[in-house]
Amino acid sequence: MSDCKEYLPLLESDDMEIVREGAFKAGENNCTEAVPRLAELLAMNHLGIQEAAESSLRKIGGKETIAAVMPLLRSDDAPVRNLSMDILREIGHQDVSALIGLLHDEDPDMRIFASDILGSSDNRLAVEALCEALLKDPEVNVRYQAAVSLGDLGMGEAAGCLNKAMEDDEWVQYSVIEALTKIKHSSSVDALVKALDRASDLVASMIIDALGEMGNVKAVTMLLRRMETSPTALRNKIAKAVVNILGGKSLTLLTKDERENFRQYLLVALKDEDVDIQDAAIRGLAYVGGEHASQGILEIASALDQDHDQERLADIIANLARIGLTEALKQSIASDDQNLARVAVQALAMIAERGDGGTCSEVCLVLVDRFWNLGLPVQRQVVGVLASSASEKANDFFVDILDRHDDGTVLKGAVRFLGVKMRNQDVVDKIFPLLDHQYDDVKEAALEALIAINGDEVRRRFVDMSTSEDPIHRLMAVFALGKIGQPGNLEQLKIALEDEIPDIRKVAVEAVAELCGESGDWSTHVLPKLSDENKDVRLTVIEILGRCYEKEFLPHLLHALEDEDDWVRIRAIDAIGEHRAEEGVPNLLELLENPNQFVVMKVIEALGNIGGTVAFRSLLEISDSDEYELVRAAEDAIAKIQESQEK
Amino acid sequence: MSSLFSKTISLGKELKISDSEFRDLRDFIYSQCGIYIADNRKYLLENRLANRLKRLNLKDFGEYYYFLQYDSGKTQELSRLFEVITTNETSFYRNPPQLKVFQENILMNVINEQRKNGKTSLRIWSAGCSTGEEPYTLAMIVHEALKSEISAWDIKITANDLSARVLDSARKGMYSEYSLRTTPPEIIQKYFDSDGRNYKIRPELKSLVSFGQINLKDKAQLKRVERSDIVFCRNVIIYFDDEMKKQVISAFYDNLLSGGYLIIGHSESLHNISRTFKPIHYPGAIIYQKEG
Ligand SMILES: C[S@@+](CC[C@H](N)C(=O)[O-])C[C@H]1O[C@@H](n2cnc3c(N)ncnc32)[C@H](O)[C@@H]1O
């Protein structure tokens, strides 16, 4: 507080920069004594000082600030008034009764301001006071603002007085309806419905919207009844409200006649220019559906933009899918309008995925049937759908694609289906050439497919390939032989371990290690690679020793702690820690002196994983050092040891 | 062999950032430079950093977070990270209408005001200068405005950025045609030496600009910048959240001499950020003035 004494004189300086600085400081130090002066500064005509005073008054807050700022609401200077309002909106809750007092001020403007501020007070006491203002204040603008603020407060206690206020002027009704929509009290449904009969067109349409948003089913019967007699614009709004209240699904609970009627209304609402109404109609039609609905929705979709209307399109697609397979969808996939075609395929994909009973009979037939007439972008999509949803009946179709198509994406889909999904031995001849495709992703897909197909023929060809001149072929062959995981392949892999290309040696190490699930002496072949000249190869070996850990690997891991490459060391540390090899602790401790702090942090982490007396003691020691980060890490590690002991 | 089959087969190995890793990294980045990565940019961050992780041989984003704090290479990695999350997009004479207003109204005002008071000093600060196009452009505009009188003036353009890499390149002052796409031909003729492919800034301009690294997040650093007549900070605060924007704008206010001007990006605004400046509306630009 002694600081505050220092800042007060700054606020009196002639130098505006000093005043600004002082005003900020007073706020940072919560100087209540400075509040009266800060309020004066707020009213001063200097933007830099106003900013500082404002920010500090907000920070300090409290009764004193409210008392000091309230009088500024009467200022003739509009910016000062606005600033004060803003501050009071933020801190007003700290002295609600002072503001309630202002609701009885003689000046109607003050009463409006007070109503406004109380709307942000989040305080129940404000409700009663605002309700009184709403029902009794002689000035219509005060009543209007009171309703707005009651809505902002959003408390159920206000429903009663707001319901009554529906009998007030139309101007007040606007804000009352909005407030009721926010509060969503069930008692308000009746009040709103009652008001509907004598409401102007504008108020009527606001009431309909409100009922829709309140989501109370009580309103549905009345709304449906009104539909017949209402003009189109209002009827569309009612349709939206009903869909909003019931959600699409419950629409199926209407009687058959009601449903048919409602469907006709929704089809009309699809053509409304209000997007929200369109969307509600779409949601409703998803459940009461039909051919016309599908067609109408597709028309809307075709006018949308893929980037801007992403969300809307996604909803539309889901709803189209819910309606199911229609002629309109079938037609649309072949449309020249790419937008439309894309939407249609996506909807069909969803229908296919849902695949009643796990098969995609009908949709897949349609897609296969039209495939060759579609544009390339649509073909790519269709192949994706078929590859994941089609049954073995699509085999011939995909084989045909391998023969005739040359687009990478399309080929990938075919390869995925025939290889990974169907494991079709007969297409091996057609897939092998794709290992030389110009795009890597196609190569990868082909490789993956061949590995999945497996079998003698595939193996024989990879064995041949493993001695190819072309390093890429050797690489792929070694990779595949490893994944296939036949102990019989070990001979080829052993040769690859000595390949002149480091990347191939690395993949060979991984390949040999694929055999580590089986018994056998895979490790005798891999361990010598710990002295490979290439650090990536060494690193791979260490990672594998960690993954397929056995006790006799420990000496090798300990040895790797002395590798010249930090990452080889770090992965060795990880492995020793992960497998809680207590014998490794002394070697780890030596690394605590390492200049690379990342290595040190890893050691600390490992010690925490290993636990035991020695590790624990050394962690205690570290936690006594004066390097903040080490201490924190050591404490975490100690906590971990303690935790594992409690278990 | 350029790339051995996508740098040794990557089948199925994808690095994903978990929600908690994302939060850690986001908070870390914010604490380091005030740039706030919104949730919808999570995927972008994951995508752009995945390569760093692969390069560094890191297992996951948690390890990367660790690396940034503890590894002996952390400072270097931090500037890499900054490069990933910032855009250094810029060009000479970026947004000509705004610069026209600057040249004809703002700069002339300041110069005349100085003349009136018998002073000949001019201080301009380009905060977030990227590879130097902006401060050099300002140097050219000052030249155009003062013409032969320039030798009698004491002029300094302070140009700062967070990224050391862009500053290195700025100091070199070598540019390609692309950076000049909105520059008037006579200006190119006058202020660059060209060998037909590259364009080099003339020494008389270079001497007006001094480059230095600054983190706009660091209040103390900002306080040390020499007081300015004009501050340019264009297309920089868009990366910041409101809190940081307020802080930075308030620092510019404190830095400006009274009557000085702040120029922010054409699509940026101080709305809801600061009311301290007086906005002056010109056709094609809004300029902010610190009232005297
Ligand atoms: C898009 S460039 C704008 C360059 C130039 N002002 C213009 O308008 O053409 C944004 C620059 O802001 C820099 N930047 C981002 N955050 C920063 C920070 N916290 N401190 C300093 N510079 C930062 C970036 O490094 C980048 O060079």
Side-chain angles (χ1 to χ4, degrees), chain B residues 29-30 32-35 82-83 85-92 94-95 98 126-135 160-167 212-218 221-222 232-240 244 248 264-266 268:
Chain B
I29 291 170
Y30 182 69
Q32 292 298 313
C33 64
I35 295 177
F82 287 158
E83 266 138 45
I85 55 181
T86 58
T87 320
N88 304 115
E89 175 63 25
T90 184
S91 61
F92 285 98
R94 182 174 189 175
N95 197 338
Q98 193 187 33
S126 161
C129 63
S130 190
T131 36
E133 285 87 333
E134 176 177 281
N160 298 128
D161 203 281
L162 175 65
S163 154
R165 190 185 56 85
V166 296
L167 290 169
Q213 193 176 14
I214 257 194
N215 188 344
L216 290 173
K217 173 94 193 171
D218 186 341
Q221 253 185 334
L222 298 187
F232 268 80
C233 184
R234 299 190 302 165
N235 311 301
V236 177
I237 58 171
I238 27 169
Y239 301 110
F240 303 151
M244 169 83 176
V248 171
I264 58 177
H266 159 74
E268 296 166 322

Side-chain angles (χ1 to χ4, degrees), chain A residues 248-266:
Chain A
K249 202 156 188 184
S250 319
L251 289 179
T252 48
L253 300 177
L254 299 176
T255 67
K256 193 154 168 273
D257 285 348
E258 275 173 335
R259 203 164 57 206
E260 184 48 36
N261 265 341
F262 195 59
R263 188 158 68 112
Q264 295 307 331
Y265 291 143
L266 288 177

Side-chain angles (χ1 to χ4, degrees), chain A residues 17 20 46-48 51 54 83 440 444 479 503 539 567 571 574 596-598 601-602 632, chain B residues 4-11 56-59 63 70-72 227 250 253-254 275-276 291:
Chain A
E17 287 187 14
R20 175 168 147 95
H46 185 290
L47 294 171
E51 179 190 56
E54 178 195 351
L83 270 180
D440 283 347
E444 283 203 11
F479 179 83
D503 283 319
L539 189 63
W567 281 103
R571 292 300 174 225
D574 281 349
N596 185 341
Q597 207 187 0
F598 195 41
M601 299 301 275
K602 281 287 191 184
R632 205 179 56 174
Chain B
L4 194 64
F5 189 28
S6 47
K7 207 58 198 153
T8 65
I9 313 167
S10 64
L11 280 181
L56 297 168
N57 248 317
L58 297 172
K59 280 191 290 216
E63 229 177 45
Y70 304 123
D71 194 81
S72 47
R227 307 282 302 258
S250 176
Y253 182 88
D254 286 331
R275 292 189 274 226
T276 43
E291 286 182 300

Side-chain angles (χ1 to χ4, degrees), chain A residues 562-575:
Chain A
E562 286 154 35
D563 197 286
E564 61 184 35
D565 182 74
D566 272 349
W567 281 103
V568 176
R569 297 214 294 258
I570 286 170
R571 292 300 174 225
I573 297 168
D574 281 349

Side-chain angles (χ1 to χ4, degrees), chain A residues 128-293:
Chain A
E128 204 184 320
L130 286 169
C131 272
E132 198 187 316
L134 173 64
L135 296 177
K136 300 209 179 121
D137 200 289
E139 170 60 40
V140 67
N141 287 315
V142 177
R143 302 201 299 276
Y144 177 91
Q145 180 58 50
V148 172
S149 291
L150 285 168
D152 290 342
L153 289 172
M155 296 181 184
E157 291 89 330
C161 72
L162 285 164
N163 291 344
K164 267 195 212 133
M166 274 307 286
E167 286 161 20
D168 203 334
D169 266 16
E170 176 156 340
W171 174 239
V172 179
Q173 283 181 351
Y174 296 157
S175 63
V176 169
I177 294 172
E178 264 180 42
L180 288 175
T181 314
K182 288 186 186 159
I183 296 175
K184 295 193 171 50
H185 198 272
S186 65
S187 71
S188 310
V189 174
D190 292 332
L192 287 169
V193 169
K194 220 168 89 201
L196 205 48
D197 286 324
R198 42 190 168 73
S200 68
D201 282 355
L202 180 59
V203 172
S205 105
M206 286 177 71
I207 291 178
I208 303 274
D209 280 343
L211 290 171
E213 279 190 38
M214 290 169 66
N216 193 316
V217 281
K218 267 206 306 198
V220 171
T221 319
M222 189 280 307
L223 287 171
L224 285 176
R225 205 172 327 117
R226 286 227 158 217
M227 279 186 112
E228 286 154 46
T229 53
S230 301
T232 314
L234 195 60
R235 203 175 59 215
N236 288 350
K237 272 186 178 275
I238 297 179
K240 170 177 129 187
V242 171
V243 174
N244 280 346
I245 296 174
L246 289 181
K249 202 156 188 184
S250 319
L251 289 179
T252 48
L253 300 177
L254 299 176
T255 67
K256 193 154 168 273
D257 285 348
E258 275 173 335
R259 203 164 57 206
E260 184 48 36
N261 265 341
F262 195 59
R263 188 158 68 112
Q264 295 307 331
Y265 291 143
L266 288 177
L267 286 172
V268 176
L270 266 189
K271 303 232 182 305
D272 198 287
E273 27 177 79
D274 180 337
V275 172
D276 289 338
I277 291 181
Q278 286 177 12
D279 284 350
I282 293 172
R283 256 179 295 135
L285 286 168
Y287 288 92
V288 296
E291 189 63 53
H292 288 303

